[in-house]
Amino acid sequence: MVDRAARDFARVGVIGLGTMGAGIVEVVARTGLDVVAVEVDHAGTARGREALEHSTARAVERGKLTPDEAAAVHARVRYATSLDAVAGCGLVVEAVPEHLELKKDIFAALDRLVGPETVLATNTSSLSVTEIAVATANPRRVVGLHFFNPAPVLSFVEVIRTVVTDEGVVSDVVELARQLGKQPVVVGDKAGFIANALLFGYLNHAVSMYETRYASREDVDAAMRLGCGLPMGPLALMDLIGLDTAYEILDTMYRQGRDRLHAPSPLIKQMVSAGLRGRKTGRGFYTYAEPGSSAVVPDALTPSASVWGAGRCGR
Ligand code: 3HC
């Protein structure tokens, strides 16, 4: 076998600083690599910077990072509002909303901007990596690199290989994922890959139980948290993922597989239209102290203390 020098991933571009993108920036910067973090406007980069500040401040409070280490993490991240800024990166990870045409446009533009050795990765949850790849002149350098929310905490990533992805690209990205502290698995390009294909039918079913008033949100979540030992219930998890993202994933999976398990429960779309998108907007299935907060506060649907007892919470 011919020895091949691994690619240089010392500088990584991240496109889109929403929940996932901001988490990916943190993972990469905390590993000691430089990051170019791109959003469409200054409000977007400010949100990305705030997310990183919030997360590193919490890590400092909990003694996981020293103030100097936190400062070094911030110093490694350069924010930009133009795709051109990633021109010198060895890897670019795209994490924009789940719209195929938007992702294809971004990949076509990136393909013209970056050098021939640069790897282009999409963090798509359910769209076809192959369709995104063929928007470029060189689909061999395109992979999926799918992180899980919260990206700084969850140690699993899926590396998605299309039928044309170069094997060297796959192995270099797997190596990088390990360097980032993740456990990578390589999978083919099938809607939802492994984890979301298993997870989203379950989440959708939970919404449907709640929507048809079979069970309260607290009881649905308690069943899976306390009865099955999961870290959080499905409706709380929908709020963490974001209902808009969950809707897009279900809709894509349903259109691809026609499995009615993935036909989005009507309530999800209604809540998205009403702006109840989960933690990020401060309200989803539960109500949060403020947008972006994980602290649930009582609302009109919270069971009364007389029935539930003080401190009882099913999430
Ligand atoms: N960002 C960064 N760090 C976070 C975080 C966030 N959003 N939320 C929690 N953390 C950190 C905390 O700082 C803490 O770190 P420490 O142990 O170093 O002090 C650690 O995570 C544990 O947090 P907490 O003690 O506050 O809370 P929990 O122990 O309840 O854990 C949780 C919170 C990690 C969110 C846990 O409940 C969990 O793992 N839930 C399931 C999440 C899940 O299933 N995600 C997958 C969603 S599907 C997906 O992402 C695919 C995509 O395509 C949609």
Side-chain angles (χ1 to χ4, degrees), residues 20 26 55 58 62 64 125 146-150 152-154 196 199-200 231-232 237 240-241 245 249 279:
M20 292 310 295
E26 179 175 346
S55 195
R58 191 163 59 174
R62 295 187 182 215
K64 306 275 171 176
S125 306
H146 183 220
F147 288 81
F148 290 81
N149 183 3
V153 182
L154 297 185
N196 283 351
L199 177 65
F200 274 81
M232 66 205 305
L237 181 54
L240 173 72
I241 292 168
T245 303
I249 294 171
R279 281 190 190 182

Side-chain angles (χ1 to χ4, degrees), residues 26 30 55-67 69-70:
E26 179 175 346
R30 283 180 75 162
S55 195
T56 51
R58 191 163 59 174
V60 170
E61 259 169 44
R62 295 187 182 215
K64 306 275 171 176
L65 274 185
T66 66
E69 286 166 343

Side-chain angles (χ1 to χ4, degrees), residues 295-315:
V296 173
V297 295
D299 59 19
L301 295 177
T302 304
S304 70
S306 58
V307 177
W308 284 69
R312 168 81 165 77
C313 177
R315 287 190 329 115

Side-chain angles (χ1 to χ4, degrees), residues 86-209:
V86 302
C89 293
L91 169 72
V92 182
V93 184
E94 164 278 312
V96 305
E98 289 287 277
H99 302 305
L100 183 61
E101 291 310 316
L102 173 63
K103 290 186 190 263
K104 284 167 72 172
D105 287 351
I106 288 173
F107 273 73
L110 288 173
D111 192 38
R112 291 189 293 266
L113 281 171
V114 297
E117 284 301 306
T118 299
V119 172
L120 302 180
T122 173
N123 180 58
T124 185
S125 306
S126 58
L127 295 171
S128 162
V129 178
T130 313
E131 281 191 55
I132 295 168
V134 296
T136 71
N138 180 7
R140 292 188 303 281
R141 57 147 138 193
V142 178
V143 283
L145 182 56
H146 183 220
F147 288 81
F148 290 81
N149 183 3
V153 182
L154 297 185
S155 58
F156 183 69
V157 293
E158 292 166 320
V159 176
I160 296 97
R161 160 210 282 147
T162 73
V163 288
V164 290
T165 313
D166 190 289
E167 270 314 306
V169 167
V170 173
S171 53
D172 287 350
V173 170
V174 163
E175 205 37 61
L176 174 76
R178 292 203 181 104
Q179 197 190 336
L180 297 178
K182 305 299 181 194
Q183 182 175 321
V185 298
V186 179
V187 285
D189 188 17
K190 182 166 174 273
F193 318 124
I194 300 177
N196 283 351
L198 294 171
L199 177 65
F200 274 81
Y202 149 72
L203 294 179
N204 201 30
H205 194 174
V207 175
S208 152
M209 274 192 182

Side-chain angles (χ1 to χ4, degrees), residues 73-95:
V73 167
H74 289 285
R76 278 182 213 116
V77 185
R78 183 158 68 85
Y79 295 90
T81 53
S82 162
L83 283 184
D84 302 359
V86 302
C89 293
L91 169 72
V92 182
V93 184
E94 164 278 312

